[in-house]
Amino acid sequence: METRMVMHREQEKQSSQMSHSMQLSSQIKKKTFASSDEEASNSDFYPIISADLMSVKEILGNFPRHRTWEILKETMAAEEAYQREKWTYFGNEAEKVELDVIRNQQRLRTRVDKMALRKQAEKKASDYKKYLELLSQKVPDFPIPLRAHTVWEGMTVKLSCTVEGCPPPKVAWYKDGKPLKMSDQPWNYSLQQKFGLNSLEIRRCSPSDAGEYKVIAKSPLGEAMTFGTLVVNSYQGAAAGSQRSQTSGLQLQQEAQFGLSFPPTWVTEGHSLTLQCSFTSTLLPFQQDVIWFRDDMQLHQSSNVDIKAFDDKATITLRAAHKEHEGVYTARLRTSDGFQEHRGFVYVTDAPAAALGGPASPLAVQVSDVNKDYVFLTWQPPSADGASPVEGYYVERCNLAQGEWVHCNVHIQKMCHYPVFGLEEGALYQFRVSAVNRDGTGRPSKATKPVLTADPLEHTRRMVVKVDGGRTIIITKDELEGQIKVPFPPTNVHACEVSDTYVVLSWTEPEPRGREPLTFYVERSLTGKNGWELASLDMVVNSPRFPVFDLVKGKQYHFRVRSVNKYGVSDPSESSMPVSLGKPQAVPAPPHSAMAIRDTDTSVLLLWKEPRDKEDILGYYLYYSEAGTHEWTTVNNKPVTKTRFTVHGLKTQREYVFRVKSVSRAGNSDYSEETLPIMVKSAISVPSAPSAIALLLCTGSEMVLGWRAPSCDGGTPVRDYYLDQREKGMKTWREVNVKPAKERQFKVSSLTSGLFYQFRVFAANAVGVGKPSEASEAFLCEKWTMPEPGCPYDLEVREVRNDSLVLLWAPPLYEGRSPVTGYFLEISQGDESDNWTVLNNKPISDTRYKVSGLEAGQTYRLRVLAVNETGVGWASLPTEPVVALTQPGTKNIEVGVDDDGFIFLDYEAVEMNDESEFLWSKNYTDPIDAKRVRAETKKNRSVLTFTDPSEEDLGLYTVKMSDNPQLSSSYDFTAEDLERLKELSWQVRNPLIALKTGWQVEVSENGSVRLWLQTESLSDAAELRLIFNDREISSTPRRKINFDRAKGLVEILFDQLSREDEGSYTAQLRDGRAKNQFTLVFVGKKFREALALADANRRDTQRKSGPYFEEYLSWSVNEDCELTVKCKVTNTSKDTSLKWFKEGVEVTSVVYEPSSGISTLTMSQVTKKEAGSYKAVVSDRRGEDVSTLELLNDEYDELLQQLSKQCALSASPLRTESTADGFRLYCSLKYYISFLKTSWYFKEKKIDHEARARPGSSMQKVWIEILNPTESDKGKYTLEMFDGRETHKRFLDLSGEAFTEALLEHKRLKQLAIAEKNRAKVTKGLPDVVAIMEGKSLCLTCFIDGEPSPESFWLRNDRELFNQDHFTITKEPKSSSITINNVNTEDSGKYSIFVRNQHGSETVDVTVSVYKHGQKPPANAVEMG
């Protein structure tokens, strides 16, 4: 028993341990390994005993015990104890192993979670660092570039530039295209780089240091470069580059270089855009790949971008330009020593607003944090708010499978970011945003690229293992996690996006997550509360992102999340940290210190400083306006990230102001302060190189050289020229002149005869010395002895127009053996054509020539050849290519007379700068005589005024701009101009006051009279004298005089005009030098008519003091042909009476409406009795007024005519009806009177009154009867109605089927008429009721008719009577009678006679009443007997 109890205790202990192990497993939520309980349940708790051993036990139990049995029993008990101990030990060891496994799993999981959190933190830190680096990234740029320097030999020079960029770019220096090595000359070169400032110091400059220096800054984002030229002057010569650079230039002549390429370009949003680069020659094979960039990001061929390169052109086309495409476009061309680039800014302007006053479209819509059912959108606000500020945005999405745009937000989103939730997993979406203001919704932004909603962590749960044979094995995390059913809760619940209107929650999915699809429940609780509520409501959350919109501001919330799959819901996750709505993000502060700097003649460089708090600023929007207009124009529609920008597309010589806005996700800031006004014109720089060096004269030891001025003077006049020379074949250039040459001609001395020399020229202005010209050809130093003249020089083109130009030149310095007698001109079409055509057949003696007959837009070159007696000399160097095109806004010299009477010539320049001057001349070369004319310049206008013009001043006057000779004009001042302008000058100096309106006479309604005239506006000092019949008059109470100088109005007012006022009135006016006088002859008929009208109006005014007729009696005829007599009274009161009279008799059938004052008398028919005199009288205690209407004679005839006209207009179309006699054609009228004359026509021929045609009329109908019609009556019938002035017609075509039907109807009616005529009938004889006294005899007789003679029958009470003693019937052909003998009361009743023949029958009844003697017969009966 003791052994058994021990075993039972061991069993209980083992069961307790197994139970504890099972509970521990359940608490840890891990079922990867089986617990002790599970193992015990598989193989029972007790040890297994064999069946035969158990049988022996049972058998022996029934027998008496023996010692052997005891021994056996003890042995069995010991064996059983051993087995139990063995099993207990195994269970304990298994449980220990299980606990170790679970403990190791927990440690492993903790370690994995820590590693995951560490990786996540490191990834976030790395992403944030990359984000900060991306924000701060900036392509290389040179805010301060290299500039050209000119120094003397032996001096020290420092070349400096500043470079910006992030990451910091690497800077490399080059000289003449080769890398500059400091180690070659460490004693001479010193390079410093500090805080972006890069300086190269060159000590003791020598000619070998001269050349072109280049700095290139490179970074992963792109590269930038800047150039500067160093010129070293010395007494022995000047060098600007090595022989290597010249040789390289020769080698590159065959390479394509940038030619005419795209300038700054503007395109409207949504339209296509093409940019083109032209090259100087056809692209070589290695140059075919022209690379295009936008904001230093390379562009590639795509559905919206088309890049082409062919022959000598390269193009890029955007099929649809959007604001995101705005920026700097760069074309990069490969060359043998590197790259060449051309840049131009492309501006994308707003498309027309979707609603009037609506905002522009947002831009840069970006999609981030893409999940299964959630994405996060950001965008940038538009630059143009419209008529009112932007209030917010609407976000739209489009499922590409459905193709329909749907709003994502019901209420407008104020910030430029929004979480979009509730998307379908695995669907392609596009998104766009529209701005909203008070005037409506603007155009939508450019749609995003299609975005696929999917699990972003799906790739992290797959591992691909490559095995032999190129095969792969895909292992998923779910397969390694075992059979997980109910999911674990998520972890790391936090707010990843906080706004003032929403919070976006994020969490990490549980691990292991199981193989079944997961969704999530989001719960929330107010901080400090224990209750939790469902935040996701009935929404299915598929992604570990969830936006919450319905939070209350100022309150804090905790959130937790549960995982859900088909097996159940997990426990809640740990609660998040307190979360609340953020503060509204404030719009950024505006920039400050905006400053505009001159750039070119159409652009301005704008600089500004960013605000102090610049953390959330995305960029800047720029705006400009012409000074004083306040009409602002948007510059850029894509935010500029730098604090400097070159604004293009401005008008030259116009003043502009600028302002800037900061841009952020919260919206745009206020405007910065306006810049100071700046006039648009080029910033000054060194001039370009001179060109076309020509040899004008050679004496053997001296050469006279001439050259063409630089094409660009750098914005300030060229003052000086420097020359270098070298012998042919030598490398070193030597300086010719230390003292600068002022003209474009110079004599070079101390030359050796027989040698060849080359020359080059530098131009200098106030900024410095420019680049040298190309080396001239090698000139032989040999004395000229040829008989022909040398070449003309100093060719100058002026007055370029679409079809003409003027060429000037200087005569050759070498004339040959005889003086120059004239010149030939030659022209060549094209830039480099050698086909020259002579313009003049005979030599001209002048040194100017106007070339006509040019083609607009074509390019030309010209040259001149001098002629003497020996022959034609050398040709001059050709001019620069000139395009025959009138520049926009080009003005010609205008001639006129100024306000002081001086004759002037006026010229307005299209463009000029501070250094520009107007140069006037006569006949192109002669100076202007300062004693006879004076020149005055006002802004961009120059006026040449003649002091005392005469014939000496006649001639050709010319003017040109000092810095641009092509801006020029000429005017031939002729004798006709002089005579005409002198006359105009006299008029200006002796002016007349201009008359607008001469004397007028006006009579007012109250009888007053006004005499007035009006001149041009006069000054306050103007004077007036009024003369009446040769004596001056002034204002009196009866005759007032008014003089309004500002309006130039003179008026005389008469309250009551009288005979004394008849006469002539003269107004004498003087205003400074101007004067004039105007006379009114107010006599005779004109005066009498005015006097009569004034008296009549005065009386009429008195009449209107009481009730009066506003409209007198008048008559009218309406559409119903009724006559209406009408009048209208006004100024009535309650006791006002209105009476009508006709021929002195009051008319009472008058309608009067006191509210309107209208009284009418309507007559439905007009007859002769309506003619007469009508009178209406309106009166009250204030007075009376009378109106009469004589409706007699001509007025009555006029009434009948109007009535006839209205009757004729009411006539219906002609109709036809058939009768027994024939046809009747008729026309219905509302009213017919005999004044309306009618005529009938048949086939355009008038129908005369004859036996077969009978016209007729009634009050409402006009007709004509055609008797016994035949086929000849078929045709067109016309009714003409003449109202006394006009003829009105109605037509009827009686033919065809209409005639046939009418004829058949006529025949039918005719037969009926015949039958009716011959029908048996009773014509007369029987009364209706007959009375007779009893006992007398009654005889009733009636007459009958019919053909043939009818039969007759007598009936009594509808029963036939025959001859009897009591009744006697007599029948004759035309009569029949019945006699009742000795009547009695029984004979009373109805008696009838019935007659008949073949055409019909008739019955006539009579009632017989028999009364007795002494009685009275019926009152209605005829007494017989």
Side-chain angles (χ1 to χ4, degrees), residues 887-1077:
Q887 291 189 17
T890 297
K891 306 290 185 180
N892 293 321
I893 294 177
E894 297 179 356
V895 64
V897 176
D898 62 17
D899 295 339
D900 295 324
F902 289 99
I903 299 174
F904 67 86
L905 298 176
D906 176 38
Y907 178 70
E908 181 181 357
V910 178
E911 57 184 28
M912 61 182 297
N913 54 43
D914 295 338
E915 304 294 333
S916 299
E917 296 180 4
F918 293 90
L919 303 179
W920 287 90
S921 60
K922 195 172 182 180
N923 299 325
Y924 289 102
T925 56
D926 300 339
I928 298 296
D929 188 353
K931 296 180 180 179
R932 304 199 59 80
V933 295
R934 66 176 185 270
E936 184 180 5
T937 300
K938 299 177 180 178
K939 292 187 177 180
N940 62 333
R941 184 185 298 273
S942 179
V943 179
L944 196 68
T945 305
F946 295 92
T947 55
D948 186 14
S950 64
E951 293 183 356
E952 296 181 23
D953 298 308
L954 302 181
L956 183 66
Y957 286 84
T958 59
V959 62
K960 70 173 184 178
M961 303 305 298
S962 60
D963 55 345
N964 190 354
Q966 291 192 13
L967 289 178
S968 56
S969 183
S970 62
Y971 186 83
D972 191 6
F973 190 43
T974 63
E976 291 79 7
D977 291 333
L978 180 62
E979 183 179 355
R980 175 176 59 84
L981 294 173
K982 275 189 172 183
E983 175 65 24
L984 182 59
S985 174
W986 185 90
Q987 294 177 5
V988 171
R989 292 177 178 179
N990 301 276
L992 291 176
I993 296 175
L995 180 67
K996 287 187 175 180
T997 306
W999 280 109
Q1000 301 291 320
V1001 180
E1002 292 181 356
V1003 180
S1004 65
E1005 293 182 355
N1006 60 5
S1008 62
V1009 178
R1010 175 176 176 250
L1011 310 180
W1012 66 276
L1013 64 85
Q1014 188 175 15
T1015 67
E1016 61 185 348
S1017 179
L1018 304 175
S1019 68
D1020 294 337
E1023 299 175 358
L1024 167 69
R1025 292 181 70 236
L1026 267 176
I1027 309 299
F1028 171 60
N1029 292 339
D1030 298 329
R1031 62 185 179 86
E1032 186 174 356
I1033 60 174
S1034 59
S1035 185
T1036 64
R1038 192 183 70 82
R1039 181 184 56 206
K1040 297 179 180 179
I1041 299 173
N1042 295 329
F1043 182 29
D1044 189 338
R1045 293 173 175 80
K1047 297 180 180 178
L1049 184 65
V1050 178
E1051 58 182 3
I1052 307 173
L1053 304 177
F1054 298 91
D1055 289 339
Q1056 185 171 350
L1057 192 66
S1058 65
R1059 292 288 181 182
E1060 300 174 355
D1061 301 315
E1062 185 176 8
S1064 64
Y1065 294 83
T1066 301
Q1068 296 179 350
L1069 294 169
R1070 179 182 293 275
D1071 188 7
R1073 291 185 303 175
K1075 59 184 178 179
N1076 213 335
Q1077 68 176 25

Side-chain angles (χ1 to χ4, degrees), residues 174-218:
Y174 296 81
K175 178 189 175 186
D176 294 330
K178 289 184 177 181
L180 187 63
K181 297 181 179 180
M182 303 296 136
S183 58
D184 292 348
Q185 297 180 349
W187 62 88
N188 197 32
Y189 292 145
S190 174
L191 183 62
Q192 296 180 355
Q193 296 184 8
K194 190 175 182 181
F195 303 113
L197 177 63
N198 291 263
S199 300
L200 174 65
E201 184 178 5
I202 305 175
R203 307 179 187 90
R204 298 183 297 279
C205 289
S206 64
S208 62
D209 295 322
E212 183 181 71
Y213 288 82
K214 177 171 67 175
V215 182
I216 298 180
K218 292 184 179 181

Side-chain angles (χ1 to χ4, degrees), residues 1108-1273:
Y1108 64 92
F1109 286 95
E1110 185 178 350
E1111 296 177 8
Y1112 291 104
L1113 285 175
S1114 62
W1115 59 267
S1116 63
V1117 177
N1118 60 22
E1119 294 181 355
D1120 294 330
C1121 302
E1122 295 177 336
L1123 172 63
T1124 302
V1125 182
K1126 173 185 173 185
C1127 66
K1128 183 177 181 181
V1129 297
T1130 187
N1131 197 23
T1132 59
S1133 62
K1134 292 182 178 180
D1135 58 347
T1136 300
S1137 67
L1138 176 63
K1139 295 183 179 180
W1140 288 58
F1141 299 90
K1142 181 187 177 187
E1143 304 295 345
V1145 178
E1146 185 176 356
V1147 180
T1148 57
S1149 57
V1150 176
V1151 178
Y1152 173 53
E1153 296 180 359
S1155 59
S1156 62
I1158 297 176
S1159 180
T1160 56
L1161 174 62
T1162 304
M1163 290 162 269
S1164 58
Q1165 292 185 357
V1166 177
T1167 61
K1168 289 185 177 181
K1169 69 178 183 178
E1170 275 71 39
S1173 178
Y1174 293 83
K1175 182 173 72 172
V1177 180
V1178 59
S1179 62
D1180 59 18
R1181 56 186 176 80
R1182 295 172 294 167
E1184 74 172 19
D1185 196 12
V1186 178
S1187 176
T1188 59
L1189 174 63
E1190 298 294 332
L1191 208 54
L1192 299 169
N1193 301 327
D1194 293 342
E1195 190 70 18
Y1196 184 70
D1197 291 341
E1198 178 68 18
L1199 168 62
L1200 293 180
Q1201 188 274 328
Q1202 289 293 326
L1203 184 60
S1204 300
K1205 179 180 179 180
Q1206 200 62 43
C1207 292
L1209 292 175
S1210 69
S1212 67
L1214 284 180
R1215 296 183 177 88
T1216 180
E1217 63 179 358
S1218 300
T1219 65
D1221 297 328
F1223 300 154
R1224 174 179 290 179
L1225 306 179
Y1226 68 94
C1227 175
S1228 300
L1229 302 91
K1230 289 186 177 180
Y1231 184 45
Y1232 174 72
I1233 58 176
S1234 59
F1235 190 87
L1236 182 63
K1237 307 302 181 183
T1238 59
S1239 301
W1240 291 88
Y1241 292 83
F1242 175 62
K1243 296 181 180 178
E1244 309 300 333
K1245 183 179 180 182
K1246 188 174 182 180
I1247 301 176
D1248 297 328
H1249 293 257
E1250 56 185 33
R1252 291 185 61 250
R1254 293 186 303 190
S1257 63
S1258 65
M1259 291 294 290
Q1260 294 181 336
K1261 188 177 291 187
V1262 179
W1263 69 81
I1264 185 170
E1265 284 188 293
I1266 308 299
L1267 305 179
N1268 300 321
T1270 63
E1271 288 292 330
S1272 62
D1273 297 317

Side-chain angles (χ1 to χ4, degrees), residues 724-785:
D724 285 351
Q725 74 178 43
R726 71 180 179 188
E727 294 180 11
K728 183 179 179 182
M730 301 297 289
K731 297 182 179 180
T732 304
W733 290 93
R734 296 182 58 215
E735 192 175 60
V736 174
N737 59 320
V738 177
K739 184 178 180 181
K742 301 297 182 181
E743 303 296 333
R744 287 182 288 110
Q745 180 181 325
F746 191 80
K747 181 188 290 186
V748 182
S749 304
S750 303
L751 301 177
T752 303
S753 179
L755 295 181
F756 285 89
Y757 290 92
Q758 286 182 296
F759 301 90
R760 66 181 184 182
V761 184
F762 298 82
N765 60 9
V767 178
V769 180
K771 292 183 178 181
S773 66
E774 293 183 0
S776 69
E777 62 177 286
F779 299 132
L780 175 63
C781 185
E782 186 178 44
K783 185 177 181 179
W784 283 1
T785 59

Side-chain angles (χ1 to χ4, degrees), residues 276-279 281 283 290 308-315:
Q276 176 175 295
C277 286
S278 298
F279 303 105
S281 61
L283 295 172
V290 178
K308 295 180 180 178
F310 53 92
D311 296 336
D312 60 346
K313 294 181 177 62
T315 62

Side-chain angles (χ1 to χ4, degrees), residues 110 134 149 222 421 423 475 686 739 800 827 1076 1107 1148 1316 1322:
T110 302
L134 289 174
H149 289 264
F421 184 72
L423 305 177
I475 303 173
V686 295
K739 184 178 180 181
V800 180
I827 190 169
N1076 213 335
T1148 57
E1316 179 66 22
V1322 178

Side-chain angles (χ1 to χ4, degrees), residues 626-659:
E626 285 197 41
T629 63
H630 298 289
E631 295 178 0
W632 292 94
T633 302
T634 303
V635 175
N636 59 314
N637 278 311
K638 179 180 176 182
V640 176
T641 56
K642 299 180 181 179
T643 56
R644 55 184 288 151
F645 187 81
T646 302
V647 181
H648 302 94
L650 305 178
K651 296 180 180 178
T652 308
Q653 298 296 319
R654 299 285 181 86
E655 284 194 339
Y656 289 88
V657 292
F658 300 84
R659 61 187 186 185

